[in-house]
Amino acid sequence: MLNRHKDHDRVSPAMYRDAMSRFAGAVNVVTTDGIAGKRGVTVSAAVSVSDNPPTIFVCLNRNREENRWFERNGVFCVNTLVARQEPVARAFAGEGKLPMDERFALGQWTTLSTGAPVLTGSRMVLDCVVSDVQLVHTHYVVAGEVVACGELREEEALVYLDRQYHSVR
């Protein structure tokens, strides 16, 4: 049962964002392709849910109608980036406002099982079939069952902390 106390003060969105900026997160480019179109976005909000069956959640902002394409296509790929892929992370985060085809042109791409784009050289890749989508306030929480895993690399990881990219070994 959810605790819905009305007598507590609320944390402001700005304060919450400041607090979460101190929460280090792996940098991922989450991609999809299919009937709705090809799309990729940079996210740090991705989390393992279960290993049986292998399931991951990714959170996508509702401020872009194109983020619904992940659900419509029914597939996505989580590409966890290495430090040298920072320009790709920045582009898919919207820096430079590049069109989607120019963002994809910054990397080499392939596919595994679902047809969702796989970024060559990623630290880790999870190819997923959408199993559920929930609307939670400002975001879509997309659950994906992992159907394929790409090659695992030991290169320096790209993380986001204090509103900056960092490399971690």
Side-chain angles (χ1 to χ4, degrees):
M1 184 170 158
L2 293 176
N3 186 356
R4 299 199 184 266
H5 291 280
K6 305 274 187 212
D7 56 343
H8 293 288
D9 291 333
R10 288 190 176 254
V11 171
S12 73
M15 182 178 285
Y16 179 73
R17 284 191 304 273
D18 284 345
M20 291 307 297
S21 74
R22 284 142 180 91
F23 190 90
V27 177
N28 307 282
V29 171
V30 181
T31 58
T32 190
D33 199 1
I35 192 126
K38 186 174 176 180
R39 178 147 178 83
V41 293
T42 299
V43 302
S44 57
V47 63
S48 173
V49 176
S50 173
D51 67 353
N52 190 18
T55 304
I56 189 165
F57 281 164
V58 295
C59 298
L60 303 171
N61 201 307
R62 289 179 48 209
N63 68 351
R64 296 297 308 236
E65 178 62 24
E66 296 91 340
N67 284 343
R68 294 191 55 101
W69 295 1
F70 290 84
E71 179 178 13
R72 289 183 188 134
N73 287 339
V75 299
F76 67 91
C77 186
V78 177
N79 300 277
T80 302
L81 304 189
V82 297
R84 64 183 164 77
Q85 294 171 320
E86 183 178 333
V88 175
R90 290 181 178 280
F92 280 94
E95 286 187 24
K97 301 192 186 313
L98 298 173
M100 197 56 59
D101 60 335
E102 290 183 31
R103 296 176 196 193
F104 276 102
L106 294 174
Q108 292 183 318
W109 301 87
T110 187
T111 60
L112 291 174
S113 177
T114 69
V118 171
L119 178 60
T120 302
S122 295
R123 186 169 168 81
M124 183 272 302
V125 172
L126 298 175
D127 196 20
C128 305
V129 173
V130 174
S131 58
D132 192 22
V133 177
Q134 294 294 318
L135 179 62
V136 180
H137 305 295
T138 59
H139 282 71
Y140 301 110
V141 179
V142 182
E145 184 172 339
V146 180
V147 295
C149 185
E151 180 182 349
L152 304 177
R153 299 186 185 279
E154 295 296 324
E155 275 186 68
E156 287 187 349
L158 184 64
V159 299
Y160 197 69
L161 174 66
D162 294 332
R163 295 187 173 97
Q164 295 179 25
Y165 292 101
H166 302 273
S167 58
V168 175
R169 187 71 173 149

